[in-house]
Amino acid sequence: MESLRILGVDPGLARLGFGIIERGPGDSLHHVAHGCIETGADTPLPERLRHLFRQLTELCCTYQPAVMVVEELFFSRNATTAFTVGQARGVALLAGAEAGLAVAEYTPMQVKQAVTGYGRADKRQVQEMVRLLLRLTSVPKPDDAADALAVAIAHAHAGRIGELEAKLALGKRTGWVWERGRFR
């Protein structure tokens, strides 16, 4: 199995986290890079969005990922924050599409489930699992970058499950999917 380089994105306008990992042979996960792209609150919105786009494009050129994974939004209170984060998220999706990458999206609950095994895990639990899965000496900082690494790990796990399901399906075309208890 060849390696798969994944760029995870935790969208934000003031601070957009990114994390790049590689899924190698035997499903091993390797840390490649992580960090944040920051924009100033005093900078006009179009300039902030352009800065995010250019920096993400540069990351794509430098690290050559095959997939960009962006966390979906979950806000229950502040609509203004949701709109600005949504704009940053749209720029991230555009940067991935413009770079010709496969683009995937996961909810925060899906990320937590994939990384910790529990969809309601707290931030500290997710960060510690990121550290353990990538064999890092400390929890990645800042939090936005750790979240982006978690999104990338979620895709590495989900992508492998999809590949295994496809292989199983090729060998067993009985019409019954045992794992899901339904006919195909």
Side-chain angles (χ1 to χ4, degrees), residues 44-126:
L45 179 62
E47 294 299 318
R48 294 173 83 179
L49 295 173
R50 180 169 56 185
H51 179 71
L52 293 176
F53 179 80
R54 287 181 175 170
Q55 292 299 304
L56 284 168
T57 300
E58 188 174 315
L59 284 172
C60 291
C61 290
T62 301
Y63 292 102
Q64 297 292 304
V67 181
M68 177 186 282
V69 189
V70 182
E71 188 172 50
E72 290 184 2
L73 296 180
F74 176 75
F75 285 96
S76 59
R77 291 194 183 119
N78 191 336
T80 303
T81 302
F83 284 127
T84 59
V85 173
Q87 290 171 320
R89 188 171 174 282
V91 165
L93 294 169
L94 175 62
E98 283 289 312
L101 306 181
V103 178
E105 302 171 76
Y106 294 93
T107 66
M109 186 175 278
Q110 289 172 316
V111 172
K112 292 174 183 180
Q113 179 69 40
V115 174
T116 69
Y118 178 56
R120 299 198 188 281
D122 65 31
K123 188 174 277 290
R124 184 184 49 75
Q125 291 170 313
V126 173

